[in-house]
Amino acid sequence: MVAKGDVVTVDLQVKDVKTGKPFDSTFDQGQVRFVVGAGGFLPAIHKAVEKMQVGEAKELQLSGDDAYGDADEALIATLPLDQAPPNLQRGQVLRLWTGQKARVTDVTADAFTLDMNRLNAGAVLSVALRVLDAAPPSTLETADFAAGCFWGLELAFQRAPGVVSTKVGYTQGAKKDPTYTEVCAGTTGHAEAVRVLFDPAQTTFDALLDVFWGRHDPTQLNGQGNDLGTQYRGGVYYHSEAQKAAIEESRAREQAKHDKPIVTEVLPAATFWDAEDYHQQYLEKGGQIAKKAASETIRCYG
């Protein structure tokens, strides 16, 4: 029987009930692997898999809070076309002055319609799943990384082949169970970080280090881009002596690419405090693609 925390392999197929066509989700379909209860897929899918037997199949219909939430008619507006930017097209995503994003759902000769609901709001999904395999999490290894805002870093690792689970949180600080507000105040000593569970039979720690170095400027101290503060510092935190050696070797290779010294910290892994649920898989929930090997640009703020 599948239990929370198990690593499962599932055949997963999702359709849009309204159209009968395959649903183009932000997550992978087909044969997928994930840690039950650890995110990356709709929570209702995790809940459905728990307590199933290997070989068992199940079909679900998900809507509302079990899917992507209900659509709010108050967030759909039709406006005169003369208020639109030039060359407006159906399907285009606009960023409003409030910072909110809206999709153009219709354009006529004299008007256009904006939908400000979250992506896929109101979708009704038909989910067919079959559990192909289940194993304890001892088959996986753990790695911890910090590289500025944890939203974009997590999505980069979600896309990495061999990564089975990711979560964002706070590490290397003094306060127990800190909140996001406390960490952002810069008083707890924590860094925003991502904990990665990966299958060493499918990827290597060196491959994850390549993702890490590619996601931040290792010469910037206590910040990344416009995100400034000790909570945004770069760091990689080893769980074994083998990881430490791999980090030191990759850091030396990375230093050869830079004129300035690398300031990314290398320390033993410390207590990892999970961030609030709101932050987990934040960019995927917002509609960015988390599928393996996806190459779309990762946008942290819009």
Side-chain angles (χ1 to χ4, degrees), residues 1-57:
M1 181 180 292
V2 176
K4 187 175 182 179
D6 281 352
V7 183
V8 294
T9 304
V10 175
D11 182 72
L12 177 68
Q13 307 292 335
V14 185
K15 291 184 177 181
D16 187 326
V17 170
K18 296 176 182 177
T19 65
K21 297 179 180 180
F23 182 75
D24 188 16
S25 61
T26 56
F27 51 80
D28 283 299
Q29 296 185 47
Q31 186 170 308
V32 299
R33 295 181 76 209
F34 57 89
V35 176
V36 178
F41 295 81
L42 293 172
I45 293 176
H46 286 261
K47 185 176 180 181
V49 169
E50 194 172 346
K51 298 185 179 178
M52 289 178 67
Q53 301 285 350
V54 173
E56 184 180 353

Side-chain angles (χ1 to χ4, degrees), residues 124-135:
V124 181
L125 308 178
S126 173
V127 179
L129 54 87
R130 180 186 297 274
V131 178
L132 303 177
D133 186 34

Side-chain angles (χ1 to χ4, degrees), residues 142-148 153 169-173 189-195 205 209 212 230-240 243-244 247 263-272:
T142 304
D144 293 346
F145 303 93
L153 185 63
Y170 317 113
T171 192
Q172 302 296 322
H190 290 89
E192 289 192 15
V194 178
R195 172 155 287 183
F205 184 59
L209 286 168
F212 169 68
T230 57
Q231 71 272 26
Y232 295 121
R233 67 189 183 270
V236 55
Y237 310 109
Y238 53 87
H239 287 258
S240 67
Q243 283 192 359
K244 180 182 180 182
I247 294 166
V263 294
T264 301
E265 63 185 15
V266 178
L267 295 169
T271 302
F272 188 98

